[in-house]
């Protein structure tokens, strides 16, 4: 079971870079790390997925060190609209198609 | 736009009265999922379908059932809702099993269930 651990909450000012770290000590060799964003009363929305090193898309970057026991979601220059809950998931490659959302990190962006 | 649609957005039922929540998708994805999300908690996977193959999570109560009559539609049946079943129910889809790379899940807006 690839359990994830994240900080419960974070605050940031507008325009700053925000880094949210997720610990996943039991990650297996081929498991992927995925991040979702969820606004109140909406379903989660995919942000980014990675396996190792660094992945970047138009909204975020994902940094994964060599040991893969943690990962960091980086949001550049956050705005008020980035206030949401961010979930880290480890997608198991073996066994059942298990999907475990972590507790999530509630990010509040302050003007 | 292709999307995941859930109806109704809000559902009220009485204790013990069966209720059905529906989900439809225009993405033509193979996999459909049902999650339960309680207030201030993470979504919890109840079960999923890969095409017609049903996969139940080990700790999903028998009170929860699902049907997928075709690719586009999937239903969540709660046979005898209890007060503890009040939650947001989220439907999601993915093109293939998410264990494969680049198969993100697309979520619907959810149905908020109230049990009186």
């Amino acid at each position: 079971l690839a359990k994830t651990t994240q900080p419960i909450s974070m605050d940031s000012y507008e325009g700053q870079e925000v880094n949210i770290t997720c610990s996943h000590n039991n990650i297996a060799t081929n498991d992927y790390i995925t991040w979702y964003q969820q606004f109140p009363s909406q379903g989660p929305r995919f942000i980014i997925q990675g396996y190792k090193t660094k992945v970047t898309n138009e909204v975020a970057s994902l940094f994964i060190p060599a040991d893969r026991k943690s990962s960091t979601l980086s949001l550049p220059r956050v705005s008020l609209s980035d206030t949401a809950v961010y979930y880290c998931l480890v997608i198991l490659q073996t066994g059942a198609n298990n999907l475990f959302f972590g507790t999530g990190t509630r990010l509040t962006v302050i003007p | 736009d292709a999307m995941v649609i859930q109806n109704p957005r809000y559902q009220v039922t009485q204790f013990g009265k069966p209720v059905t929540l529906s989900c439809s998708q225009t993405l033509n994805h193979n996999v459909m999922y049902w999650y339960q999300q309680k207030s201030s908690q993470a979504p919890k996977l109840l079960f999923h379908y890969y095409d017609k193959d049903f996969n139940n999570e080990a700790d999903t109560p028998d009170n929860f059932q699902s049907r997928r009559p075709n690719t586009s539609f999937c239903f969540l049946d709660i046979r005898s809702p209890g007060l503890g079943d009040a939650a947001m129910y989220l439907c999601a889809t993915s093109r293939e099993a998410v264990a494969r790379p680049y198969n993100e899940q697309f979520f619907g807006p959810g149905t908020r269930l109230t049990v009186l």
Side-chain angles (χ1 to χ4, degrees), chain A residues 30 32 36 38 41-46 49 87 89 91-93 97-104 106, chain B residues 9 33 35 37 41-43 45 48 57 88 90 97-105 107-109 112:
Chain A
N30 296 320
Y32 280 83
Y36 283 83
Q38 187 176 27
S41 299
Q42 293 187 26
R45 185 179 69 169
F46 174 85
Q49 181 183 72
Y87 290 102
L89 284 80
I91 310 299
L92 305 182
Q93 291 292 299
N97 193 24
N98 291 325
L99 295 164
F100 296 94
F101 279 75
T103 52
R106 183 174 300 277
Chain B
R9 293 293 310 277
Y33 309 80
Y35 287 85
Q37 185 174 27
Q41 296 185 19
L45 182 64
H48 74 277
E57 292 299 300
M88 175 78 84
L90 295 162
V98 292
R100 295 189 185 183
Y102 313 117
N103 278 288
E104 67 196 75
Q105 289 183 295
F107 283 82
R112 184 167 298 282

Side-chain angles (χ1 to χ4, degrees), chain B residues 17 22 27 35 37 40 43 59 61 69 88 95 98 100 106 108:
Chain B
K17 184 176 181 180
S22 71
L27 297 160
Y35 287 85
Q37 185 174 27
S40 300
D59 57 354
M88 175 78 84
R95 183 169 48 87
V98 292
R100 295 189 185 183
F106 292 82

Side-chain angles (χ1 to χ4, degrees), chain B residues 17-52:
Chain B
K17 184 176 181 180
V19 65
T20 294
L21 309 182
S22 71
C23 176
S24 64
Q25 55 133 339
T26 60
L27 297 160
N28 202 33
H29 282 173
N30 287 318
V31 193
M32 295 188 76
Y33 309 80
W34 279 104
Y35 287 85
Q36 179 192 64
Q37 185 174 27
K38 296 187 176 180
S39 181
S40 300
Q41 296 185 19
K44 180 180 181 298
L45 182 64
L46 296 173
F47 26 58
H48 74 277
Y49 277 92
Y50 187 101
D51 195 11
K52 296 180 181 179

